Amino acid sequence: MKKTWNHFGKRIGMLAVLCTAVMAPKMITFAGEINGNEARVISAASGTFSYEGKTYRAGSAYINSLTSYLSADDVDLTAAQADEAISTMYGSIGEGVAQGYLYEVGNEGTGEEASTQEKDGKEKKDKKSEDGEKKDKDEKETDSDGQSSGDVEVWDTMADPTENKMKLKERPEKEEAEVSVEMNKDSIVVQADGKKPVQISRDEQIIPVSFFKIAFVTAAILFAVTIICGIILFATKCMTFKKRKDRRARPGHSKRRKIRHNVRNVLTVTTAISLIAVFVLLGLYVNLFDKDAIMQNMQSSGYFRYAYSEYISGLVKDFDFGKLAEEKTMQADIQTYEDYLFTIKKNSLEVLDGNMNSVIPDSNVAPYIYNLKQGYMKLFRETGIFMIANVLLGIILMIFMDLQRERGIKHTAVAELAASGVLAVVMLVMVLQKPYLQLYIEPDYLYLFLMECIKRCVAVMTSITAFSVVLGMVLVGVYKTLVNNKTS
C-alpha cells in the first residue's frame, strides 16, 4: 500500500467524521447491498477524469475493490460521507495519475464532467471549512440517530493488495509495450509498434479475410502435392496392398524404388506440416471455446464485479437526485450483486451460444469470442478438413507404397516427431521467454482475462505436444519391433 494514498485515505476518514447525516435526512436507499450514496461514489470512481488536457480512468481492479468494500454489510455511507469522498477523489486526480491508479484513455471522454466535479469538489471543501460549527452540531445529531460516522478510507480500500493487482504489476507501460490492446465501446483496438491500428468489431468477423485465403491456399497446395504423389505411385505401380505369390522382382524395380524413396520423403514433409496445423486447431478449440473455462476466466479476472460497477453507474446517471431528495420514502430498484451475477452469467452463456439479442454490457468479451468461434469453424471447414485428410492420405500412401510396411511406419513416426519438435520449440519460447507479457492491455480485467487464456492455451498445447511425442515414440517402437521380427 502506497504511503501517499494512505495519507489521502486517512484524510477522507477524518473529514467524513465531520460530515452528518442530517444534511440528507431523506437519504435514497437502494434495495440491495449498495445504497444511493455508495452508488454515487462508485459512479464517480468509474467515470473519466480530466487532468492536464488528458482523459483518465481508474483501473477496473481498483473499482472492484471499492465496490466490494461498499457492498459489505457494515458499510453504509451517508450523503455527507459520499460527498466528501467524491470531492476528495476529484481533488487528487494528479496523485491518482502519479500513483498509477488512473490510466490514460485518449479521447474516450471529454473530461468535462470530471473537471466540473473537481471544481465542485473544491468548492464543497471551502464551503465545509466555513461551516465547521454546523458540521459539529450535525455530527452529534447523526451519532444520536445511530448513523455511521466511522472512517471511510476509500482510497485505502482501492489500494488494498489483491492477487489480480499483483498480476497487473507484470503488465508493461504502454510506451514500452510492443503491442497495445484497448477495448472501446464497440471494438477492440490493436496497435503494433509503428503500424496502423487494427480495429476488431464486436459485431463483425474477427479473423481477417486474407488469413482465410492464405490458410486455404496452403492447405490446398499440401493436399494437391499429396494427391500428385498418390497419382505417381499408382501410375508407376508402386502401391502394394497385398503380398504377391511370385516374389521375383518385377521389371523396373530399381526405378520404382527410387520413386518410392523420393515420394516418401515428400509425404513425410507434407504430413508433418499438416500434423502441426491439426494439433494447433485442436488446441485452439479446446482452449478458446470451452464455455466453462471462459466463464471461470471472466470470474477470476474480476469482470463480473466490474460489470456490476458499470451497472450501478448506469443507474445513477438515470436518477434525478435533486428530485429524489425531496421524497421521504422513495426507493430505486437495484439488483444485488448475486442477482446481477446470475443474470449476466446467463446472458453471457446465451451470447456464447449465438443469441446476440441477450442484453450484456459493451465491455463483455462474449460477442468477440462467439465471432472468433464462427471464424474458427469457417477456417476448419475450409482448411482443417484438408489438413486432416492430408494426414490420413499421407500415412496410407507411406505405409502401402511397398511391402516393407515398417518403412512407412518409420516415416510416419518421423513426421510425428518433427511436428512435435516444432511445437516443443514454440512452447519452450512461450514458457521461458513469455512474449505475451510484452502486451499492454486495457482495461485491467481484459488483461487478466487474456493472460489467463494465453497461459491455459500454453498448458493445453504443451499437453498436446507431449501426447504427440509419446505417439511418435510408440511408432518408433512399432517400427523396431517389426524390423526385429523380420531379422529373427
Side-chain angles (χ1 to χ4, degrees):
M1 190 181 302
K2 297 182 173 67
K3 295 182 178 179
T4 303
W5 289 105
N6 221 354
H7 170 72
F8 275 102
K10 293 178 180 179
R11 198 173 95 191
I12 292 174
M14 289 186 290
L15 290 173
V17 172
L18 300 177
C19 298
T20 134
V22 175
M23 295 176 64
K26 301 155 188 168
M27 182 183 68
I28 308 157
T29 302
F30 290 86
E33 300 172 335
I34 301 290
N35 67 38
N37 299 310
E38 294 160 352
R40 288 195 294 116
V41 175
I42 293 173
S43 179
S46 302
T48 55
F49 301 82
S50 179
Y51 181 71
E52 294 185 348
K54 297 180 180 180
T55 304
Y56 296 87
R57 185 183 294 277
S60 63
Y62 302 103
I63 299 297
N64 291 349
S65 295
L66 176 62
T67 304
S68 298
Y69 170 73
L70 295 177
S71 299
D73 293 336
D74 58 345
V75 177
D76 189 22
L77 295 190
T78 65
Q81 289 172 322
D83 288 341
E84 188 61 45
I86 293 171
S87 63
T88 305
M89 186 185 308
Y90 281 110
S92 55
I93 297 175
E95 293 291 340
V97 174
Q99 297 296 332
Y101 295 91
L102 303 175
Y103 66 92
E104 187 179 351
V105 292
N107 296 322
E108 180 179 314
T110 62
E112 293 178 0
E113 180 181 352
S115 299
T116 301
Q117 292 196 38
E118 181 180 3
K119 181 179 178 181
D120 291 343
K122 293 179 180 178
E123 291 177 353
K124 286 180 182 178
K125 288 182 182 180
D126 295 338
K127 183 177 179 181
K128 288 179 181 179
S129 63
E130 295 173 359
D131 297 334
E133 294 182 1
K134 182 178 179 181
K135 286 183 179 182
D136 293 336
K137 179 180 177 181
D138 288 341
E139 180 187 350
K140 294 178 181 179
E141 293 179 358
T142 300
D143 292 339
S144 64
D145 290 338
Q147 297 288 341
S148 171
S149 62
D151 291 352
V152 184
E153 299 184 358
V154 177
W155 285 115
D156 276 356
T157 301
M158 293 178 71
D160 283 342
T162 63
E163 182 179 355
N164 283 345
K165 290 174 187 174
M166 298 299 104
K167 293 179 181 178
L168 288 170
K169 291 183 178 180
E170 298 179 350
R171 178 175 54 185
E173 295 295 331
K174 186 176 182 179
E175 297 75 14
E176 301 173 355
E178 297 179 1
V179 179
S180 66
V181 180
E182 298 184 65
M183 176 180 280
N184 295 329
K185 182 177 180 181
D186 55 359
S187 66
I188 293 177
V189 180
V190 181
Q191 172 72 67
D193 188 21
K195 295 184 179 180
K196 184 179 179 180
V198 177
Q199 283 198 340
I200 302 174
S201 173
R202 73 196 304 269
D203 301 319
E204 298 176 2
Q205 175 60 52
I206 291 181
I207 302 178
V209 175
S210 58
F211 183 84
F212 284 111
K213 292 180 179 179
I214 294 172
F216 177 78
V217 170
T218 302
I221 291 174
L222 290 173
F223 191 68
V225 170
T226 303
I227 292 294
I228 292 172
C229 289
I231 293 174
I232 292 173
L233 291 173
F234 276 99
T236 56
K237 297 181 180 180
C238 291
M239 296 297 295
T240 55
F241 293 97
K242 61 180 181 179
K243 293 183 179 181
R244 293 180 294 106
K245 294 181 180 180
D246 186 6
R247 300 299 302 274
R248 290 181 301 177
R250 292 178 294 167
H253 172 71
S254 298
K255 182 179 179 181
R256 286 193 297 274
R257 183 169 59 183
K258 186 176 181 180
I259 292 173
R260 287 182 177 120
H261 175 75
N262 293 330
V263 169
R264 188 179 278 121
N265 289 338
V266 172
L267 289 175
T268 301
V269 174
T270 58
T271 302
I273 296 174
S274 299
L275 279 170
I276 293 173
V278 171
F279 289 145
V280 170
L281 287 173
L282 175 61
L284 290 177
Y285 185 85
V286 172
N287 177 67
L288 296 179
F289 309 124
D290 183 344
K291 290 190 290 187
D292 290 338
I294 292 171
M295 300 305 290
Q296 182 178 353
N297 286 354
M298 292 174 72
Q299 178 80 43
S300 61
S301 69
Y303 169 70
F304 294 125
R305 179 67 73 177
Y306 180 73
Y308 185 61
S309 302
E310 287 187 309
Y311 161 70
I312 292 174
S313 298
L315 289 179
V316 171
K317 291 178 182 178
D318 294 335
F319 293 147
D320 184 351
F321 280 89
K323 182 178 179 181
L324 289 176
E326 299 174 359
E327 303 292 336
K328 292 184 178 181
T329 59
M330 193 169 192
Q331 290 186 337
D333 186 17
I334 184 174
Q335 287 181 305
T336 63
Y337 175 67
E338 287 73 17
D339 291 339
Y340 180 81
L341 183 63
F342 173 81
T343 302
I344 193 173
K345 280 188 174 182
K346 180 177 74 68
N347 291 352
S348 297
L349 286 170
E350 290 177 355
V351 172
L352 291 174
D353 288 331
N355 183 6
M356 306 303 286
N357 294 323
S358 293
V359 180
I360 56 173
D362 293 333
S363 58
N364 198 309
V365 297
Y368 297 97
I369 296 175
Y370 175 75
N371 289 337
L372 182 61
K373 184 177 181 179
Q374 294 302 105
Y376 172 90
M377 297 309 298
K378 180 182 178 182
L379 181 66
F380 181 81
R381 290 191 298 268
E382 296 180 356
T383 302
I385 293 177
F386 270 125
M387 293 296 187
I388 294 174
N390 194 53
V391 170
L392 296 176
L393 183 58
I395 292 174
I396 291 173
L397 292 176
M398 285 190 291
I399 291 177
F400 291 99
M401 70 172 58
D402 62 19
L403 291 175
Q404 307 298 323
R405 310 299 191 201
E406 66 275 7
R407 295 176 182 172
I409 294 175
K410 173 186 175 181
H411 280 262
T412 300
V414 171
E416 185 77 24
L417 292 174
S420 304
V422 173
L423 292 176
V425 170
V426 175
M427 291 303 103
L428 281 175
V429 171
M430 295 295 288
V431 171
L432 299 178
Q433 298 289 331
K434 297 181 179 180
Y436 52 87
L437 292 181
Q438 299 303 313
L439 297 174
Y440 173 83
I441 303 174
E442 281 292 353
D444 296 345
Y445 66 82
L446 183 62
Y447 172 82
L448 296 169
F449 178 83
L450 292 180
M451 288 300 104
E452 191 62 33
C453 286
I454 293 173
K455 290 178 182 178
R456 186 171 184 271
C457 187
V458 171
V460 170
M461 289 305 302
T462 300
S463 300
I464 291 176
T465 301
F467 170 79
S468 180
V469 171
V470 171
L471 181 58
M473 297 306 297
V474 168
L475 290 174
V476 171
V478 172
Y479 163 73
K480 289 185 177 181
T481 299
L482 291 176
V483 171
N484 292 334
N485 290 340
K486 291 186 71 173
T487 56
S488 60

